[in-house]
Amino acid sequence: PRTDIVFLKVHKSASSTVMNILFRFGEMHNLTFAFPQGGGFQLYYPHHFLAKFVQGFSPLSPRRFNILCHHMRFLQPEVQKVVPSSAVYFSILRNPVQLMESSFVYYKGASAFSRVRSLEEFLSQPWRYYDPASGDRHYARNLMTFDFGFNPDGDVSPERVQLMLKAIEASFDFLLISEYFDESMVLLKEMLCWDLDSVVSFPLNSRDSSTKSPLPDSVVEKLKAWNRLDWEIYTHFNRTFWERLDRLIGRERLRREVRALRQRRAELARACLQGTGSVGPKDIKDSSLRPLQHGGARILGYNLKQGLPRELERTCRRLVTPELQYSSLLYKKQFPPQPP
């Protein structure tokens, strides 16, 4: 199994679920994480990543960490200072149309969105609300482009786009696609030589469907045009994702593996969860399992069955622990507080 990993956690792309998978694997195999200084939850995002943002990093000591997976804005020369040279680099992408719809609800307080009632209103005159100089502009345009370290207001000429795609290909071993999450997990398992239980998960940090609404075609086209760089990244890597699956696994085995993954998830859900799945924030009984609520979204969570055997309870709890709580737990384990 590969144990040295860099995961670029792209916003609003099922990346919290992937992070849970990495947290569980790292904890189980006693791996070290490149945590933000002081146990924060982001590596000084939205600044480009610097090695000094990592707790325990020192330019004088050659200490390397196994897993880097907290939110950052990618900058490979700095990343290379904190992980072994053998590390596998990957990320996950989402269709920019759905990504922006999600960002609009989640980051409603962002300067570009705060004065509009709807995404349609924003897209009717984006330049009226969007300021390229504002510190939170990236939430409103080409968010994936930004997270990968590029300029979200950059030139969209074919030459520039090709350079950007080539740069991403040079840095990353593979990219997953959140719309095909289960197929992505099969690819992840293959690329990292992990077993099925290491990549099985429950969806985390997902929002209640009551805040989701389908977008009219005219808006979809405007969204693609406004997020042109993201659209180029997504369509290119969606294609290479399927090419890689066909080359490495083939459709027949892919179907079998996806089926096995879904069966295992259903099995764990029956063993672990009260009811049939996720519940709204007010219905989560154990406050330590309540995810952070943000913007206009209602972020769902889970209730565990009572009286589970100890080992199973531990497995189940890890599967449903929200990102911030899990991160804090692992941070305290890796950097135990010093007794006074």
Side-chain angles (χ1 to χ4, degrees):
R2 305 294 294 265
T3 52
D4 298 326
I5 292 159
V6 174
F7 171 56
L8 177 63
K9 188 175 185 289
V10 169
H11 287 74
K12 317 309 313 149
S13 305
S15 54
S16 295
T17 308
V18 177
M19 198 174 188
N20 176 272
I21 288 168
L22 296 173
F23 278 167
R24 282 172 13 229
F25 186 87
E27 183 179 26
M28 193 171 166
H29 295 85
N30 285 322
L31 304 177
T32 56
F33 290 87
F35 284 108
Q37 280 283 0
F41 303 113
Q42 300 196 344
L43 290 153
Y44 287 78
Y45 188 86
H47 298 286
H48 272 108
F49 175 81
L50 295 175
K52 66 177 187 190
F53 297 161
V54 172
Q55 178 77 41
F57 168 79
S58 148
L60 307 172
S61 88
R63 179 172 186 189
R64 295 282 193 271
F65 300 90
N66 299 114
I67 300 178
L68 174 61
C69 62
H70 286 71
H71 271 311
M72 64 168 159
R73 188 172 182 206
F74 190 67
L75 186 60
Q76 191 163 17
E78 289 290 317
V79 169
Q80 285 167 331
K81 295 177 184 176
V82 299
V83 295
S85 57
S86 59
V88 177
Y89 287 67
F90 78 100
S91 185
I92 187 164
L93 305 175
R94 184 180 183 186
N95 184 314
V97 176
Q98 279 75 48
L99 177 69
M100 180 135 184
E101 188 273 333
S102 179
S103 290
F104 182 78
V105 175
Y106 202 80
Y107 301 114
K108 191 68 186 79
S111 55
F113 294 152
S114 57
R115 293 180 298 146
V116 293
R117 283 185 304 277
S118 67
L119 197 47
E120 283 94 317
E121 189 182 340
F122 172 78
L123 288 162
S124 65
Q125 298 175 286
W127 288 108
R128 191 178 153 192
Y129 307 108
Y130 177 83
D131 174 5
S134 79
D136 61 2
R137 77 187 193 284
H138 50 284
Y139 293 124
R141 190 180 199 198
N142 290 316
L143 181 50
M144 292 190 291
T145 303
F146 183 86
D147 286 353
F148 275 95
F150 302 101
N151 176 7
D153 300 308
D155 172 13
V156 295
S157 69
E159 300 75 35
R160 294 290 303 178
V161 167
Q162 277 312 306
L163 281 173
M164 177 174 74
L165 297 176
K166 288 268 183 296
I168 295 172
E169 276 177 339
S171 300
F172 287 83
D173 294 288
F174 60 100
L175 298 183
L176 306 175
I177 303 289
S178 65
E179 282 79 13
Y180 302 102
F181 191 80
D182 292 345
E183 291 83 354
S184 289
M185 292 306 100
V186 172
L187 181 61
L188 184 68
K189 173 167 115 45
E190 185 80 9
M191 297 297 288
L192 300 180
C193 303
W194 288 7
D195 61 6
L196 180 67
D197 270 11
S198 297
V199 298
V200 77
S201 63
F202 297 143
L204 293 176
N205 205 31
S206 56
R207 66 184 165 110
D208 177 5
S209 56
S210 68
T211 59
K212 296 176 187 172
S213 49
L215 300 164
D217 290 349
S218 58
V219 172
V220 169
E221 289 312 311
K222 281 181 184 166
L223 269 174
K224 286 182 194 171
W226 176 248
N227 294 290
R228 175 67 190 282
L229 293 171
D230 271 12
W231 186 249
E232 295 282 358
I233 291 175
Y234 179 76
T235 49
H236 175 82
F237 288 104
N238 186 17
R239 194 182 70 246
T240 58
F241 169 76
W242 290 103
E243 285 168 1
R244 187 182 298 257
L245 277 173
D246 286 341
R247 197 170 63 244
L248 289 178
I249 295 170
R251 295 291 164 111
E252 192 40 51
R253 190 179 132 214
L254 178 63
R255 273 192 287 276
R256 285 201 306 274
E257 299 238 356
V258 165
R259 195 159 51 236
L261 179 70
R262 288 174 180 165
Q263 281 167 346
R264 184 67 182 126
R265 183 186 295 130
E267 231 169 77
L268 283 164
R270 283 194 297 275
C272 295
L273 304 178
Q274 279 180 30
T276 52
S278 52
V279 295
K282 287 200 286 292
D283 299 317
I284 301 168
K285 300 184 181 79
D286 180 342
S287 60
S288 72
L289 296 179
R290 222 169 268 156
L292 173 78
Q293 301 299 313
H294 198 84
R298 280 179 68 224
I299 306 299
L300 305 173
Y302 297 91
N303 285 316
L304 292 180
K305 283 184 173 165
Q306 298 297 302
L308 292 169
R310 209 172 91 198
E311 207 38 54
L312 179 62
E313 206 272 347
R314 187 188 149 83
T315 299
C316 295
R317 180 168 287 275
R318 292 293 186 260
L319 278 161
V320 301
T321 299
E323 177 187 325
L324 304 190
Q325 288 92 313
Y326 207 157
S327 184
S328 297
L329 188 106
L330 293 173
Y331 178 79
K332 289 192 187 101
K333 207 169 160 178
Q334 191 168 311
F335 299 103
Q338 296 304 309

